[in-house]
């Protein structure tokens, strides 16, 4: 069994991003990431800080733009438009969720698609779904980065995805389809989840249900990518019962130390995307 180590994949991208940045710094064009936080959602604030720290660790400036919870749609839109026009800023990351009185998708769509490093604008979604180059949400991108790093082929494989959200399940399905996999998407109304998962060459679990995918659902030798992040008895666990799945899988990601370790790095990778190859 191969342990698909997200930290190794993240280290690979960290090095690549740092090299790209070193090259652009010499050209005096260092890109910056703008992180927009609206309101006082604690996880958003923590994620923004951790993103800023990770960015700094690769030599990238990431500034947090904070708006109060009472901010109007016009206030937030005006901020985004000023960031769109700022040539120094290569990427804009809008922390979700926004306060309930704001129309999230309408605000997301104000982000210029070329700076939409988390791939959430309708424009980038359309590009992904029509097979054109696009920014893709960072978690699905992290899944693909892990599969690629470990040379796990997708063409002709049956990929079973558990979860159909717009940020994880659907985009990862499309990415796998674009790589010529045969894709099945499961959700809470799937009639016989174990029977479907058992057919998979590659399982991608993104349901947010601890222990949903058991060892008996895994076909011997299958690859298992666990996107889930759940808190159980003070511990972070995935959607896959790791020990029993690892006993039958050919390759598996741990939680923590799997997909989550790579996700932040994908945003940074997208920020430096335009800046030449290292
Ligand atoms: P979400 O919006 O809550 O979507 C969950 C999906 O799972 C839904 O499509 C739901 O089906 C399906 N589902 C729930 N219970 C199920 C069951 N018993 N059987 C089959 N399908 C079931 O969640 P999300 O934002 O996609 O996130 C999914 C998980 O990934 C969460 O644990 C989240 O914390 C984690 N996550 C991790 C990262 C990372 O970097 N590692 C990033 C983002 C999210 P319905 O559509 O029918 O309701």
């Amino acid at each position: 069994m191969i342990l698909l180590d997200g930290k190794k994949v993240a280290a690979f991208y960290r090095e690549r991003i740092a090299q790209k940045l070193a090259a652009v710094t010499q050209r005096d064009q260092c890109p910056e990431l703008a992180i927009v936080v609206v309101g006082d959602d604690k996880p958003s604030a923590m994620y923004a800080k951790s993103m800023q720290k990770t960015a700094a660790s690769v030599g990238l400036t990431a500034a947090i733009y904070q708006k109060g919870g009472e901010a109007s749609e016009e206030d937030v839109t005006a901020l985004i438009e000023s960031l769109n026009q700022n040539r120094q800023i290569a990427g804009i990351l809008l922390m979700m969720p926004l306060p309930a009185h704001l129309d999230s998708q309408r605000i997301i769509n104000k982000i210029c698609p070329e700076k939409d490093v988390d791939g959430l604008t309708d424009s980038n979604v359309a590009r992904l779904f029509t097979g054109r180059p696009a920014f893709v949400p960072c978690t699905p991108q992290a899944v693909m980065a892990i599969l690629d790093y470990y040379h796990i082929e997708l063409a002709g494989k049956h990929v079973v995805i558990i979860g159909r959200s717009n940020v994880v399940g659907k985009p990862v399905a499309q990415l796998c389809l674009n790589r010529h996999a045969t894709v099945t998407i499961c959700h809470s109304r799937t009639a016989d989840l174990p029977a479907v998962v058992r057919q998979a060459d590659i399982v991608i679990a993104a349901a947010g249900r601890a222990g949903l995918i058991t060892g008996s659902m895994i076909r011997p030798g299958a690859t298992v990518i666990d996107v889930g992040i759940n808190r159980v008895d003070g511990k972070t666990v995935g959607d896959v019962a790791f020990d029993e799945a690892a006993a039958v899988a050919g390759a598996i990601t741990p939680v923590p130390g799997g997909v989550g370790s790579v996700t932040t790095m994908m945003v940074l990778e997208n920020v430096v995307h335009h800046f030449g190859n290292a």
Side-chain angles (χ1 to χ4, degrees):
M1 191 273 296
I2 301 166
L3 187 73
L4 304 173
D5 185 346
K7 290 185 181 150
K8 268 194 191 161
V9 181
F12 169 81
Y13 279 94
R14 177 186 297 279
E15 178 63 25
R16 198 164 99 154
I17 296 164
Q19 279 179 23
K20 280 190 183 183
L21 281 168
V24 293
T25 306
Q26 287 156 16
R27 296 205 302 270
D28 203 24
Q29 288 178 341
C30 208
E32 287 180 18
L33 172 65
I35 304 170
V36 177
V37 182
V38 185
D40 52 10
D41 179 63
K42 281 218 173 83
S44 290
M46 279 168 61
Y47 183 44
K49 285 248 161 66
S50 117
M51 175 68 75
Q52 191 177 35
K53 244 172 94 178
T54 311
S57 76
V58 297
L60 183 77
T61 301
I64 297 177
Y65 295 80
Q66 176 79 52
K67 284 271 177 200
E70 304 308 314
S72 66
E73 191 161 325
E74 290 70 30
D75 288 340
V76 182
T77 299
L79 171 60
I80 288 173
E81 277 166 359
S82 77
L83 297 170
N84 282 341
Q85 278 157 26
N86 184 335
R87 290 170 62 93
Q88 198 72 30
I89 289 169
I92 301 171
L93 190 63
L94 180 62
M95 288 291 133
M96 292 289 148
L98 294 179
H101 68 281
L102 298 173
D103 181 331
S104 301
Q105 196 58 35
R106 202 158 60 200
I107 294 178
I108 286 168
N109 282 332
K110 299 291 180 195
I111 300 173
C112 149
E114 288 72 33
K115 296 189 180 188
D116 171 28
V117 284
D118 206 12
L120 296 176
T121 56
D122 289 349
S123 165
N124 274 311
V125 172
R127 294 179 73 85
L128 169 64
F129 278 73
T130 50
R132 289 171 291 160
F135 281 131
V136 174
C138 56
T139 303
Q141 203 180 332
V143 170
M144 302 311 279
I146 292 173
L147 292 170
D148 287 346
Y149 181 86
Y150 284 97
H151 304 291
I152 295 169
E153 180 61 57
L154 282 147
K157 297 288 173 58
H158 186 185
V159 178
V160 173
I161 296 156
I162 304 97
R164 58 174 165 180
S165 73
N166 289 337
V167 285
V168 188
K170 283 182 205 161
V172 87
Q174 190 61 44
L175 286 168
C176 293
L177 193 59
N178 291 353
R179 300 279 201 92
H180 314 297
T182 300
V183 179
T184 302
I185 306 177
C186 301
H187 46 77
S188 64
R189 311 282 183 93
T190 297
D192 187 350
L193 184 70
V196 181
V197 176
R198 250 176 238 124
Q199 296 170 25
D201 300 305
I202 300 172
V203 178
I204 302 176
R209 299 280 182 275
L212 177 68
I213 307 301
T214 61
S216 67
M217 295 184 195
I218 306 299
R219 188 153 105 175
T223 296
V224 180
I225 306 287
D226 192 352
V227 180
I229 300 177
N230 310 288
R231 291 295 285 176
V232 175
D233 300 332
K235 276 189 174 170
T236 300
V237 298
D239 289 352
V240 177
F242 181 84
D243 291 341
E244 46 186 85
V248 269
I252 186 167
T253 57
V255 177
V259 177
S261 309
V262 186
T263 300
T264 310
M265 217 48 85
M266 293 297 100
V267 171
L268 306 182
E269 168 76 7
N270 288 345
V271 175
V272 301
H273 168 79
H274 293 303
F275 292 84
N277 293 312

